[in-house]
Amino acid sequence: MLDGYVDTLLYRMHLTKGARYQAARRHQRRAIASIWSIIALSMYVFTASTVLAIYDLSAFGSLEQHLIIANMVMSAFIIAFSVLEQGKKHDLKAELFLRCAQGIQRLRDELEFDRRINGLSQDDVAAAVKSYNDLVHDFSDNHSETDYRTFRINIGKHQGEFFYSIYQPLKYWFDCWSIMLISIFVPPMALLLLYWIAK
């Protein structure tokens, strides 16, 4: 009976550890995406300001006025966006999730080693459960459902579910990089719209 519980505990540790490694990777990528988003938006504002300073856009109807307003709005948006992203502390969360995952991995390795070499008593298992719960609850944030599901796919738990196995990693990828993609592709589309309105 104790062996069955230990098997369940080891499996729970494996899933939690994997999901937290996945969460650490997601937050690392979100931190990178945030930086590149701010760079891209800033470059668009800088480029628009340079164009407005150098060229006479009066031949394009009201484009110049629209571009000036858009530039001011975008500058304010970049400030607000930077503060918001800074407040999310993706780098710190990535580090904490990584430490938690490493702690669970170390505990799991110790438990498995003791089980195979020395055998486990009820007190040993109770101590392992307490250490595991302490590791999980010491960090107030929890990994997301997407982290957990993506890890399960990575270890082959949904091999027969083709569409789910495609959808979930795409969702995870989009969660990591969508903010950067929007920052890169939406401003040129908005510029084209302003040009079309000004004509």
Side-chain angles (χ1 to χ4, degrees), residues 13-188:
M13 287 179 176
H14 176 61
L15 290 180
T16 305
K17 175 260 305 181
R20 299 218 158 186
Y21 273 127
Q22 204 73 43
R25 282 191 287 271
R26 177 170 56 85
H27 281 288
Q28 284 171 345
R29 291 167 184 172
R30 282 294 300 272
I32 293 167
S34 294
I35 291 167
W36 280 106
S37 298
I38 293 166
I39 290 171
L41 293 172
S42 299
M43 288 305 297
Y44 284 129
V45 168
F46 175 76
T47 303
S49 300
T50 304
V51 168
L52 286 167
I54 295 174
Y55 298 102
D56 179 15
L57 302 178
S58 57
F60 296 97
S62 59
L63 178 61
E64 186 172 4
Q65 289 81 9
H66 291 317
L67 202 54
I68 290 169
I69 293 168
N71 222 29
M72 292 172 65
V73 170
M74 184 66 80
S75 299
F77 175 79
I78 290 170
I79 294 169
F81 176 75
S82 302
V83 171
L84 183 65
E85 284 300 298
Q86 185 67 29
K88 291 180 180 177
K89 299 180 180 176
H90 291 298
D91 284 329
L92 176 61
K93 287 180 180 179
E95 178 66 24
L96 291 173
F97 272 123
L98 181 62
R99 285 185 191 174
C100 182
Q102 289 169 337
I104 293 171
Q105 180 64 57
R106 185 173 60 252
L107 180 62
R108 188 174 185 274
D109 290 343
E110 290 170 0
L111 186 63
E112 200 157 16
F113 177 82
D114 288 343
R115 182 190 196 188
R116 293 187 181 187
I117 303 302
N118 304 319
L120 292 171
S121 67
Q122 191 170 339
D123 289 340
D124 294 330
V125 176
V129 170
K130 183 181 183 308
S131 297
Y132 170 64
N133 287 331
D134 288 345
L135 278 169
V136 170
H137 297 302
D138 273 351
F139 182 34
S140 58
D141 239 350
N142 196 8
H143 55 262
S144 71
E145 192 69 19
T146 301
D147 298 321
Y148 173 72
R149 294 183 185 280
T150 304
F151 175 69
R152 283 180 58 87
I153 289 169
N154 291 345
I155 60 174
K157 289 296 181 182
H158 296 277
Q159 288 182 344
E161 303 171 52
F162 176 75
F163 290 109
Y164 183 78
S165 297
I166 296 295
Y167 163 75
Q168 193 60 46
L170 277 175
K171 183 181 176 186
Y172 178 85
W173 185 89
F174 193 73
D175 189 29
C176 293
W177 302 110
S178 60
I179 201 163
M180 183 180 72
L181 295 175
I182 290 167
S183 299
I184 291 171
F185 292 111
V186 169

